[in-house]
Amino acid sequence: MFSSWLPGLNRGLATPTGRIALLVGRSPSRSLQLSSRRSVPELSSFVARTNTCGELRSSHLGQEVTLCGWIQYRRQNIFLVLRDFQGLVQVLIPQDESAASVKKILCDAPMESVVQVSGTVVSRPPGQENPKMPTGDIEIKVKTAELLNPCKKLPFEIKDFMKKTEALRLQYRYLDLRSFQMQYNLRLRSQMVMKMREYLCNLHGFVDVETPTLFKRTPGGAKEFVIPSREPGKFYSLPQSPQQFKQLLMVGGLDRYFQVARCYRDEGSRPDRQPEFTQIDIEMSFVDQTGIRSLIEGLLQYSWPSDKGPVGVPFPSMTFAEALASYGTDKPDTRFGMKIVDISDVFRNTEVGFLQDALSKPQGTVKAIRIPEGAKYLKRKDIESIRKFAADHFDQEVLPVFLKANWNWNSPVAKLVMEEQGLGLIRRMENQEEDVVLLTAGEHKRACSLLGKLRLECADLLEARGVLLRDPALFSFLWVVDFPLFLPKEENPGELESAHHPFTAPHPSDIHLLHTEPEKVRSQHYDLVLNGSEVGGGSIRIHDAQLQRYILETLLKEDVKLLSHLLQALDYGAPPHGGIALGLDRLICLVTGAPSIRDVIAFPKSFRGQDLMSDAPDFIPPEDLKPYHIQVSWPTDAETEKNSLNPPHHPES
Amino acid sequence: MFSSWLPGLNRGLATPTGRIALLVGRSPSRSLQLSSRRSVPELSSFVARTNTCGELRSSHLGQEVTLCGWIQYRRQNIFLVLRDFQGLVQVLIPQDESAASVKKILCDAPMESVVQVSGTVVSRPPGQENPKMPTGDIEIKVKTAELLNPCKKLPFEIKDFMKKTEALRLQYRYLDLRSFQMQYNLRLRSQMVMKMREYLCNLHGFVDVETPTLFKRTPGGAKEFVIPSREPGKFYSLPQSPQQFKQLLMVGGLDRYFQVARCYRDEGSRPDRQPEFTQIDIEMSFVDQTGIRSLIEGLLQYSWPSDKGPVGVPFPSMTFAEALASYGTDKPDTRFGMKIVDISDVFRNTEVGFLQDALSKPQGTVKAIRIPEGAKYLKRKDIESIRKFAADHFDQEVLPVFLKANWNWNSPVAKLVMEEQGLGLIRRMENQEEDVVLLTAGEHKRACSLLGKLRLECADLLEARGVLLRDPALFSFLWVVDFPLFLPKEENPGELESAHHPFTAPHPSDIHLLHTEPEKVRSQHYDLVLNGSEVGGGSIRIHDAQLQRYILETLLKEDVKLLSHLLQALDYGAPPHGGIALGLDRLICLVTGAPSIRDVIAFPKSFRGQDLMSDAPDFIPPEDLKPYHIQVSWPTDAETEKNSLNPPHHPES
C-alpha cells in the first residue's frame, strides 16, 4: 500500500520526503485515508485484469496475474508479446500436452487480437533478460487464456503507422491511436490539462463555467459556422471563443472564471488549423496585466510535465515594437540569436546606390541579420533562393555580405559595401570570419518583416546541415505587449479595424489619443509566445460602456445592435476585468514535439475539414432539412469547376 | 502560512491530523512546497484586493485590507454594505472633514456600483454585532475609496431577482448571476465536477479525451442539429453524445476514457430540456456491469458535497420488471413507499363487474396502491381529478376504497369490494384506519403505469397538505437493470427499435433468443436513478462485429453504410468494453435542490431554445449563407399560421 502511493505523493514535492514516509510508517491506522489521496492512479480497478502489461517488474515475481491486451507479436509459437497502453510483456506459451487448448488459443489468434491470460510472473532464464524492455526481466507463465476478440488482417502493422500517409492514418484513426506516440500525446494532454485545473480551481479558486456554443453571430463574425434553427430564417452561430460570455460572467460577479472551451472557426482549407479547437479560457475581475501574467506563469510552471524540465519564471517580455524591430514578427523565436540590427547610421554616407536611395526617403532604413558560419553552410543556390523570395514576396533587394575578402560571389556591390563600411558593419554585427550578413534597405516594417522571415529560413537551412541552433529541449516563453489597438483595414486603409478584438482596453498612457489619433493608441493586449509560436493571447477589457460604444460605433463603425446586451451589461456595474486564452492544441503540440496539431487531437479533421474515418460532412436527405426551413443551393456547373480549382485540392485531404 | 492551508488539507482526511501538523511545525523549511498542495484556494492572488469581502472575521482585526465589491446597500450615509462572491461586509463611511472626498465617493455611488476601498478591520462596537452575518463581528474603517464603475438604475434589485419571471431573469442573466443562489449553484457545479475529475483522472487513471462535435449524422439521428459545410449539400451534425467516438477510443486502446462532454439535441420546444447539455461521459475496456457500477458509486461518493451528507454505497438495484411492477416506471422514486401491489388473487372470485371483466382476460390483473392517511388529507375533488386523469390518459377505471365503514363516497362498488374482499385487501395492503386504497384493473403494464403516476401525484398532494413523505435531505440512488433490448416501434409495432441504442450488448443469458424471439431479449443496459429522476445510463457494448451487423441490418433495418467505420473498427481487435454517461445538469439540479436545470446553467436557453439575453437564434444576411450553399425556404402564410398554433407559445419563452 505505502509503496504504491508514496512515489506519486513524493513526486509532487520538491524536497526529499523521508520524514513523511517515516511518519506514515509510524501511523499505519491512517494509511487507508491517505491512500485515497495518492497521486499514482490505480489502473486496474473495476476491470478483469489484475495488472497492466507494462507495469510488471521483478518486484511482482511469483504473483498470480490476469492481463488483458493485444497480441503484438509471436515467436516460434513459444513466446508471445502482449501489449496494452502501459507497455509490452512477454508471455510464455505453454508447451505441455495438458495445456494444449491454451496453446491453441495463443498460437491461432491473429496479430492484434485481444486476449486475456492468467498466470504467474516468473524470472526470465539468466542471459535472456531484455534490458531495453521495462518488463524485460520477467515473463508470464500462462495457465489460462481466452480469446476476447479476434482481429482481421490489418491494412498495415500498428508499428508502421507513423510511416504511412496521414490520410491513411486518419481513415483508420482507431488503429493509429494504438501507436505509442498517439497514446503518449493524448495521455500527456489529459494530464497537463488536469494539472491546469488543479492550479486554477483548487489553488486559486477559479470557477469552471460552461458557456453555450449555440449563440448569435458576432459583428464581423464571417468565420462562424451557422446552425439553422426551427424558426424560419433564424440561425445560431458557433462562437470563435466564449469572449462575450466570459465578460458577462465578470459582470455577474463570478470573479474568476476558467473553461477548457471548445471553439469553432470556419476558415475553409488551411493547413494546421482545425474547424474546432480548444482553448484554456480565463477571465478575472480586478486584475491588471501583471496579475494575468503571473497567473499564467504559475499555471504553466505547475502543469509542465516533469520530464520536460522546469519552466523558469517570470517569462521575459518585449514590446510589439521591439519584437518587430529585432525579430521582424510579433511572435519571435527567442531560442536563438540572429537578431535584426538597424545599421542605417553605418551607411549614412554610403556611395552604394540602392542604400543611398533607401536612406534618402523619410522612412528609409538599412537592416541586417548575421548568419553565423553562413559562409560554411549556405550554398550559392540558398542565397539565390533567398534573394528571389525577397523580390517575389516583399519586392525587396537582399545583399549577402561575406567577411572573407577573397570570397568571390560576383557581387561588386557587396565588395563596395565591405570596402566602404566594412569595419562599422563588422563591429555592429559582431561578425566572425565565417559569418554571412544579409542586408536589406527600405521602410522599417517591411525590411524587418523580410529579415524576420529570412532569419527563420536560414535557421532551418543551418539546422538541415547539422548546426544545432535551437535546442529541442528548450522551451522559450516570451510575453509580447503594447500592441497597437487598431490597424488600418486591409481592403480600405482609410478605416480602422481592431488589431485583436473590439473589447480590448486602450493603454492608459494613450487614452488621450483616442479622439485625435486613434491609430497611434497602444492596447492592453498581450500575447504569449513559445518558441516562435503564439500559444496565448488576452487583454484587459473595456469596462466602461461609453468608451466601448465610442470604439464600436464611431471608430469601428460596427452594428452595435448585435452587441446591445454587452453594452447594457457594462452599464450595470461591470467590474474592471481582463483575461487570456491559451491555444491548447498548439501548446500540447509544442510540448510533445509533435509535427502537427493533428497529432495531439484524437479525431482531427483533414486540411479540408473532413473526418476521413466517418466521411463527415455528408449529404443529408432533403426531408431532414425541412424542419430547419433551408434548402441546398446547388452550384451551377461553372461554379463547381471554379471551386474545384480554387482552393487547390491538397493531396492529404 | 500553516493556518491557511492546514484546515484544507485536514478536510481531505477522515481522522485527526495532529501528527501531521506537528511534523510541519518541526520542519518549516518544507512549508513552502507543502503549501502549494493546500486544498483551500487562495481567492485574492493576482488581483487588486487583499481579501474577499466575505472572508473577514475577528481574526483579521487590525489588518489593513483592500476590498473590491458591489454596493449592496447604504444606511444613513454612515454604513455601506459591500458584496462580492464570498459574502457581505460592513464598511464605515468616514464622517470627518479630512475624508470628505472618500465620503462623497461612497455616498454618491448608486447601488450595485463597483468600488474599491482600503482600510482597517475593526471590531463593531459592543451590542452592534450581527450574529446572522458571518462577518458580523467586524467592520471596515475606510481610509481610501475609488469608484471603479458606476451602475445605472437597475430594472429591479438583485435580491428580488428570484421573485421575478424567469424570462426577465434570463434577459438580464448577468445581473441574475449575482444572486446568492446562482453563485452557489455554479460554484458547487464547478467543485463537484473537479472532484469527479480527480477521482477519474488522478485516482483511477482515466484519460480525458476531447471528441469532435462536428460529426456526421447517426442512423435515426432525427434530433441532431445540422451545420452546412462549404461543400455543396454536405452537412456536419452535432452529435447527441460521443457514443461512437468513445467506442472507437476503446478500439484504439485508450482503455479508460472520460470527458465532460457537450452534447446537442434538437427537440423543439420541451420544458426542462436544453438544446445543448453536458454529460460526464465514461468508457472502459475489459469491464462488466459490476465494474461500471462500482466505479460510479465511488465517483459519486468521492465528489458528493460534504454539506449534503455522505452517500451510502453500494446503491440498491432493481430489475426493469420489478421497477415497473412496484413503481409503474423505470425511474422509481424510492424515497417513499406506496408501492404498487398486485391483488389479483384477492379478487379471483369477485362479483364486482369491472374486476371480473379484467380478470377474465389472459393478461388481466388487479393492482392497488395504499395512500397513508389518505382519508384525512385527500379531498373529494382530488379523488375526482384522479379518476378523470385515469380515464383521460389511460382509459382506465380507478376505484378509491376507504377503510372506515361509515365513509360515504356514494360508491356502491367500493362498498361491495370492502364487503366481499375487505379482509384480504386490508391484510395485503397492510392498511391502517385512515388509509385510502386506489384500485385499478387491467393489463399489467398499463395498470402499473397508471398507478405509478398516481403514486407521485398523491405524494405531491399529501406534501402540499403538510405530510412529509420525501425527506428533502435524502438522496436515494437506485440502479435499474435488465431492460429489454428492443421495443416495438411506436408507429409500427410489427418492427423493432432499440430500447436505448443499437450498440447495447444483449444479456448473456438471452443471446439464444436473438434469432428466435428478439423482443424477449434483455440488454446489458443500466440506468442510474436518483430520487425518481434518471441521472445516468449506460451499457456493456457489442464488441463483436458480426453480432453488431446482425442487429443493425437484420433486426433494426438500419442503413449500415452510415456506421461502416464502426463495424470495421470492431473487426480489428476491439476489446470488450462498456460505459456510462451521467446527465450533469440534472444531477447538479438535484444536488442543489434547484427548481429547474436552467438554474444550474450559466446561460441557458428558454423553452423555445432562445437566448433571451442576446436574442439568439437570429436572422442572418443571405450573403452570409452563400458560402454554405443554402438558402432559407420561407414558409407560406398558411404554414406560419399552423406553426404559430402548434406548439403553443409558452408565456416564459
Side-chain angles (χ1 to χ4, degrees):
Chain A
M1 179 72 75
F2 301 153
S3 66
S4 66
W5 68 268
L6 270 176
L9 182 60
N10 292 352
R11 210 178 299 149
L13 305 169
T15 54
T17 50
R19 217 181 257 255
I20 276 205
L22 216 69
L23 169 78
V24 174
R26 288 203 308 262
S27 166
S29 66
R30 219 179 42 251
S31 64
L32 269 171
Q33 272 80 35
L34 279 170
S35 72
S36 77
R37 292 178 63 84
R38 75 176 145 214
S39 303
V40 174
E42 216 184 280
L43 295 169
S44 299
S45 44
F46 313 116
V47 289
R49 65 173 171 257
T50 59
N51 296 80
T52 60
C53 297
E55 73 174 306
L56 296 174
R57 298 287 183 277
S58 294
S59 58
H60 297 88
L61 280 179
Q63 286 187 16
E64 299 291 315
V65 297
T66 297
L67 307 176
C68 298
W70 285 260
I71 299 179
Q72 176 91 352
Y73 57 85
R74 188 164 40 219
R75 200 148 35 96
Q76 300 157 331
N77 285 353
I78 295 175
F79 300 110
L80 181 143
V81 171
L82 205 61
R83 186 196 71 237
D84 66 13
F85 65 96
Q86 275 287 85
L88 303 168
V89 70
Q90 180 161 290
V91 168
L92 266 178
I93 303 175
Q95 303 297 323
D96 41 319
E97 276 298 309
S98 63
S101 66
V102 172
K103 180 174 181 181
K104 188 169 161 48
I105 287 170
L106 296 180
C107 293
D108 286 359
M111 292 302 99
E112 290 298 320
S113 294
V114 189
V115 296
Q116 177 172 327
V117 298
S118 293
T120 316
V121 182
V122 298
S123 279
R124 295 201 190 181
Q128 292 189 27
E129 300 90 350
N130 182 350
K132 286 187 197 150
M133 202 172 169
T135 64
D137 287 338
I138 59 102
E139 57 194 2
I140 310 297
K141 204 177 156 195
V142 169
K143 294 203 182 84
T144 62
E146 189 185 347
L147 176 62
L148 297 176
N149 209 0
C151 181
K152 275 200 179 170
K153 176 133 184 56
L154 292 179
F156 33 78
E157 281 188 57
I158 302 295
K159 66 183 166 60
D160 290 338
F161 243 104
M162 282 292 173
K163 301 177 206 159
K164 301 290 166 184
T165 66
E166 194 178 14
L168 203 64
R169 288 178 54 206
L170 290 179
Q171 187 188 339
Y172 294 99
R173 190 57 159 186
Y174 44 87
L175 295 178
D176 190 29
L177 289 176
R178 291 185 194 164
S179 67
F180 165 78
Q181 199 56 54
M182 283 306 302
Q183 291 276 331
Y184 175 81
N185 292 353
L186 294 181
R187 285 167 192 276
L188 181 139
R189 179 177 179 136
S190 168
Q191 279 162 23
M192 203 167 154
V193 170
M194 187 63 200
K195 294 288 280 179
M196 289 183 180
R197 291 178 178 280
E198 285 172 16
Y199 177 85
L200 291 168
C201 201
N202 295 350
L203 299 191
H204 294 288
F206 280 73
V207 187
D208 180 4
V209 181
E210 301 168 62
T211 58
T213 56
L214 297 178
F215 193 44
K216 176 192 171 105
R217 80 192 159 99
T218 42
K223 290 169 182 171
E224 287 171 356
F225 287 101
V226 297
I227 303 176
S229 76
R230 286 171 189 253
E231 284 188 83
K234 288 197 174 181
F235 292 79
Y236 298 107
S237 290
L238 291 175
Q240 292 187 48
S241 89
Q243 183 63 35
Q244 288 187 48
F245 290 112
K246 64 182 185 170
Q247 293 195 240
L248 291 164
L249 286 172
M250 294 307 108
V251 181
L254 258 291
D255 200 81
R256 294 171 166 233
Y257 145 88
F258 87 103
Q259 183 181 194
V260 181
R262 191 70 58 90
C263 304
Y264 300 85
R265 190 161 43 204
D266 178 22
E267 300 187 291
S269 306
R270 279 189 61 177
D272 232 24
R273 285 285 178 101
Q274 288 284 314
E276 51 185 320
F277 57 97
T278 304
Q279 64 189 35
I280 309 290
D281 200 47
I282 289 173
E283 197 80 8
M284 296 172 85
S285 294
F286 311 113
V287 75
D288 60 9
Q289 279 203 46
T290 315
I292 296 280
R293 275 155 63 174
S294 305
L295 169 79
I296 294 299
E297 287 160 0
L299 174 76
L300 287 166
Q301 196 172 41
Y302 185 86
S303 62
W304 208 251
S306 52
D307 62 329
K308 301 289 176 186
V311 171
V313 297
F315 302 154
S317 145
M318 192 182 286
T319 66
F320 170 75
E322 285 164 15
L324 182 67
S326 299
Y327 297 92
T329 173
D330 58 357
K331 34 181 185 285
D333 187 340
T334 46
R335 284 175 299 176
F336 68 108
M338 291 171 56
K339 291 205 255 183
I340 301 166
V341 181
D342 189 305
I343 48 172
S344 307
D345 53 344
V346 176
F347 290 92
R348 198 56 69 195
N349 303 310
T350 185
E351 313 240 316
V352 180
F354 89 103
L355 299 178
Q356 234 175 16
D357 277 5
L359 289 173
S360 68
K361 288 174 189 151
Q363 308 286 326
T365 62
V366 181
K367 310 267 186 188
I369 56 172
R370 180 179 67 88
I371 302 160
E373 301 189 283
K376 203 161 130 193
Y377 293 106
L378 293 192
K379 299 184 177 145
R380 177 182 292 249
K381 76 166 174 27
D382 298 330
I383 299 288
E384 273 160 19
S385 77
I386 282 169
R387 300 185 74 167
K388 187 168 181 323
F389 173 86
D392 292 354
H393 293 87
F394 287 78
D395 196 18
Q396 285 273 129
E397 218 175 314
V398 169
L399 190 68
V401 181
F402 294 80
L403 268 193
K404 283 187 182 170
N406 59 344
W407 200 275
N408 173 21
W409 280 106
N410 298 331
S411 167
V413 180
K415 190 169 272 179
L416 189 59
V417 164
M418 274 310 284
E419 278 165 12
E420 272 191 341
Q421 277 83 21
L423 209 61
L425 189 64
I426 289 173
R427 195 175 296 140
R428 184 65 62 83
M429 304 296 293
E430 297 175 1
N431 273 14
Q432 307 288 321
E433 182 141 330
E434 297 275 0
D435 296 350
V436 173
V437 169
L438 295 182
L439 188 151
T440 194
E443 184 267 323
H444 173 73
K445 184 163 182 286
R446 179 189 293 252
C448 291
S449 299
L450 167 61
L451 290 181
K453 292 251 190 261
L454 296 185
R455 175 178 174 266
L456 295 175
E457 192 60 37
C458 292
D460 286 347
L461 281 171
L462 292 181
E463 290 195 336
R465 298 197 178 133
V467 184
L468 186 72
L469 269 183
R470 293 166 291 199
D471 179 357
L474 190 68
F475 293 97
S476 191
F477 283 101
L478 175 74
W479 290 108
V480 179
V481 300
D482 290 358
F483 282 84
L485 184 57
F486 304 108
L487 293 174
K489 269 191 188 166
E490 247 177 65
E491 63 274 30
N492 180 3
E495 289 183 9
L496 294 177
E497 63 185 4
S498 296
H500 294 95
H501 60 58
F503 314 115
T504 310
H507 197 292
S509 325
D510 296 354
I511 284 191
H512 62 286
L513 296 170
L514 261 180
H515 292 260
T516 51
E517 297 173 284
E519 68 284 357
K520 287 199 180 160
V521 175
R522 288 166 304 161
S523 73
Q524 294 199 60
H525 179 93
Y526 30 83
D527 265 355
L528 180 61
V529 174
L530 170 57
N531 293 355
S533 287
E534 184 196 322
V535 293
S539 59
I540 303 303
R541 327 294 185 186
I542 298 168
H543 63 271
D544 177 298
Q546 209 180 329
L547 174 60
Q548 183 68 78
R549 198 172 276 114
Y550 173 74
I551 287 182
L552 281 169
E553 249 176 355
T554 310
L555 295 181
L556 297 173
K557 321 239 184 289
E558 290 286 3
D559 178 4
V560 291
K561 258 180 288 169
L562 286 174
L563 288 172
S564 56
H565 52 285
L566 187 73
L567 287 166
Q568 197 171 34
L570 294 183
D571 258 337
Y572 287 136
H577 60 287
I580 194 167
L582 302 182
L584 184 63
D585 306 300
R586 170 70 50 216
L587 182 65
I588 302 291
C589 185
L590 290 166
V591 174
T592 58
S596 151
I597 57 165
R598 292 182 297 282
D599 292 314
V600 299
I601 296 172
F603 299 100
K605 300 286 192 295
S606 74
F607 290 159
R608 292 170 73 89
Q610 291 168 325
D611 179 329
L612 299 180
M613 180 183 66
S614 73
D615 199 23
D618 199 4
F619 295 108
I620 279 194
E623 64 267 25
D624 286 3
L625 299 178
K626 264 198 182 154
Y628 300 112
H629 312 281
I630 56 165
Q631 53 185 313
V632 176
S633 322
W634 293 100
T636 61
D637 287 354
E639 283 171 337
T640 307
E641 197 165 318
K642 192 180 141 219
N643 283 333
S644 74
L645 293 171
N646 180 20
H649 187 85
H650 197 282
E652 286 189 33
S653 62
Chain B
M1 177 72 76
F2 301 152
S3 65
S4 66
W5 67 266
L6 270 175
L9 182 60
N10 293 352
R11 208 179 299 150
L13 305 170
T15 52
T17 49
R19 218 181 257 256
I20 277 204
L22 216 67
L23 170 77
V24 175
R26 285 203 309 263
S27 166
S29 66
R30 221 180 37 252
S31 64
L32 270 171
Q33 271 81 37
L34 279 170
S35 72
S36 77
R37 292 179 63 85
R38 72 175 148 218
S39 302
V40 174
E42 216 183 280
L43 295 169
S44 299
S45 44
F46 313 116
V47 290
R49 65 172 170 257
T50 58
N51 296 80
T52 61
C53 297
E55 74 174 306
L56 295 174
R57 299 287 182 278
S58 292
S59 58
H60 296 87
L61 280 178
Q63 286 187 17
E64 299 291 315
V65 297
T66 297
L67 307 176
C68 299
W70 286 260
I71 299 179
Q72 176 92 351
Y73 59 85
R74 188 165 40 220
R75 199 147 37 96
Q76 300 158 330
N77 284 353
I78 296 175
F79 300 110
L80 181 143
V81 171
L82 204 61
R83 186 195 71 234
D84 65 14
F85 64 96
Q86 276 287 87
L88 303 168
V89 70
Q90 179 162 291
V91 167
L92 267 177
I93 303 176
Q95 303 297 322
D96 41 320
E97 276 296 309
S98 64
S101 67
V102 172
K103 181 174 182 182
K104 185 170 165 46
I105 288 170
L106 295 180
C107 292
D108 286 0
M111 293 299 101
E112 290 300 317
S113 295
V114 189
V115 296
Q116 177 172 327
V117 299
S118 293
T120 316
V121 182
V122 297
S123 279
R124 295 200 189 183
Q128 293 190 26
E129 299 90 352
N130 182 350
K132 287 188 196 148
M133 202 174 169
T135 63
D137 287 338
I138 58 101
E139 56 194 2
I140 310 297
K141 204 177 158 199
V142 169
K143 294 202 184 84
T144 63
E146 189 184 347
L147 175 63
L148 298 176
N149 209 359
C151 182
K152 276 200 176 168
K153 175 133 184 59
L154 292 179
F156 31 79
E157 279 189 58
I158 301 295
K159 65 181 167 58
D160 290 338
F161 244 104
M162 282 291 174
K163 300 177 206 157
K164 300 290 166 183
T165 67
E166 194 177 16
L168 203 64
R169 289 178 53 205
L170 290 178
Q171 187 188 340
Y172 294 98
R173 189 59 158 185
Y174 45 88
L175 295 178
D176 189 29
L177 289 175
R178 291 184 195 164
S179 67
F180 166 77
Q181 199 55 55
M182 282 305 302
Q183 291 276 333
Y184 175 81
N185 292 353
L186 293 181
R187 285 166 192 274
L188 180 137
R189 178 178 180 135
S190 168
Q191 279 162 22
M192 202 167 155
V193 170
M194 187 63 200
K195 294 289 279 180
M196 289 184 179
R197 291 178 178 279
E198 286 172 16
Y199 177 85
L200 291 168
C201 201
N202 295 351
L203 299 191
H204 294 288
F206 279 73
V207 186
D208 179 5
V209 182
E210 300 168 61
T211 58
T213 55
L214 297 178
F215 193 45
K216 175 191 172 110
R217 80 193 161 101
T218 43
K223 290 170 181 168
E224 287 170 358
F225 287 101
V226 296
I227 304 174
S229 77
R230 286 172 188 252
E231 284 188 82
K234 289 196 174 181
F235 291 80
Y236 297 106
S237 291
L238 291 175
Q240 293 188 47
S241 89
Q243 184 62 34
Q244 288 187 49
F245 289 113
K246 65 181 184 171
Q247 294 195 239
L248 291 165
L249 286 172
M250 294 305 109
V251 181
L254 257 292
D255 201 83
R256 295 170 166 233
Y257 145 89
F258 87 102
Q259 185 183 193
V260 181
R262 191 69 59 90
C263 303
Y264 300 86
R265 191 161 42 203
D266 179 21
E267 299 187 293
S269 306
R270 279 188 62 178
D272 232 24
R273 285 285 178 101
Q274 287 286 313
E276 51 185 320
F277 57 98
T278 304
Q279 64 190 36
I280 308 290
D281 200 48
I282 290 173
E283 197 80 8
M284 295 172 85
S285 294
F286 312 114
V287 75
D288 60 10
Q289 280 202 47
T290 316
I292 297 280
R293 276 156 60 174
S294 307
L295 170 79
I296 294 299
E297 287 160 0
L299 174 75
L300 287 165
Q301 197 172 41
Y302 185 88
S303 62
W304 207 250
S306 53
D307 62 328
K308 300 290 175 185
V311 170
V313 297
F315 302 155
S317 146
M318 191 182 285
T319 65
F320 169 76
E322 285 164 16
L324 181 66
S326 298
Y327 297 91
T329 173
D330 59 356
K331 34 180 186 287
D333 187 341
T334 47
R335 284 175 299 176
F336 68 108
M338 292 171 56
K339 290 205 258 184
I340 301 166
V341 181
D342 189 305
I343 47 172
S344 306
D345 53 346
V346 175
F347 291 93
R348 199 55 69 193
N349 302 312
T350 184
E351 313 241 317
V352 179
F354 89 102
L355 299 178
Q356 233 175 16
D357 277 4
L359 288 173
S360 67
K361 288 177 189 149
Q363 308 285 328
T365 62
V366 181
K367 311 267 186 189
I369 55 171
R370 179 179 69 88
I371 300 161
E373 301 190 282
K376 201 160 132 198
Y377 293 106
L378 293 191
K379 300 185 176 142
R380 177 183 290 251
K381 76 167 174 26
D382 298 330
I383 298 288
E384 274 160 18
S385 78
I386 283 170
R387 299 185 74 167
K388 186 168 181 322
F389 174 86
D392 292 353
H393 292 87
F394 287 80
D395 196 16
Q396 285 272 128
E397 220 175 311
V398 168
L399 190 67
V401 181
F402 293 79
L403 270 191
K404 282 188 182 168
N406 61 344
W407 200 275
N408 173 20
W409 281 105
N410 299 332
S411 166
V413 180
K415 191 170 271 181
L416 190 58
V417 163
M418 274 311 285
E419 279 167 9
E420 270 192 342
Q421 278 83 21
L423 208 61
L425 189 63
I426 288 172
R427 195 174 296 141
R428 184 66 64 83
M429 304 298 292
E430 298 175 359
N431 272 14
Q432 307 288 321
E433 181 141 331
E434 296 276 359
D435 295 351
V436 172
V437 169
L438 295 182
L439 187 151
T440 193
E443 184 265 324
H444 173 73
K445 184 163 182 289
R446 178 189 293 253
C448 290
S449 299
L450 167 60
L451 289 181
K453 292 250 190 261
L454 295 185
R455 175 177 174 267
L456 295 175
E457 192 59 39
C458 291
D460 286 348
L461 281 171
L462 291 182
E463 290 195 337
R465 292 182 188 144
V467 184
L468 186 73
L469 269 183
R470 294 165 292 199
D471 178 356
L474 190 68
F475 292 97
S476 191
F477 282 102
L478 174 75
W479 290 107
V480 179
V481 299
D482 291 356
F483 283 84
L485 186 56
F486 304 109
L487 293 174
K489 269 192 189 167
E490 247 177 64
E491 64 275 32
N492 178 4
E495 288 182 13
L496 294 177
E497 64 184 4
S498 297
H500 294 93
H501 60 58
F503 314 116
T504 311
H507 197 292
S509 326
D510 296 352
I511 283 192
H512 63 285
L513 296 171
L514 261 180
H515 292 262
T516 52
E517 297 174 286
E519 70 282 358
K520 288 199 178 158
V521 175
R522 288 166 303 162
S523 74
Q524 295 199 60
H525 180 93
Y526 30 83
D527 264 355
L528 181 61
V529 173
L530 171 57
N531 293 356
S533 286
E534 184 195 322
V535 292
S539 59
I540 302 304
R541 327 294 184 186
I542 298 169
H543 63 271
D544 177 299
Q546 211 181 327
L547 175 61
Q548 183 68 76
R549 199 172 276 113
Y550 173 75
I551 287 181
L552 281 169
E553 248 175 357
T554 311
L555 295 181
L556 297 173
K557 320 240 185 288
E558 289 286 3
D559 179 5
V560 290
K561 257 179 290 169
L562 286 174
L563 288 172
S564 56
H565 53 284
L566 188 71
L567 287 166
Q568 197 172 34
L570 295 183
D571 258 337
Y572 286 136
H577 60 287
I580 194 166
L582 302 182
L584 184 63
D585 307 299
R586 169 71 49 217
L587 182 66
I588 301 291
C589 185
L590 290 167
V591 174
T592 58
S596 150
I597 59 166
R598 292 183 297 281
D599 290 316
V600 299
I601 296 172
F603 299 99
K605 301 285 191 297
S606 74
F607 290 160
R608 292 170 72 90
Q610 289 167 326
D611 179 329
L612 299 180
M613 179 183 67
S614 73
D615 198 23
D618 199 4
F619 295 107
I620 279 195
E623 64 267 26
D624 286 2
L625 299 178
K626 264 200 182 151
Y628 299 113
H629 311 281
I630 56 166
Q631 52 184 312
V632 176
S633 321
W634 293 101
T636 61
D637 287 355
E639 285 170 338
T640 309
E641 197 167 319
K642 191 177 142 221
N643 283 333
S644 74
L645 293 172
N646 181 23
H649 187 85
H650 197 281
E652 288 190 33
S653 63

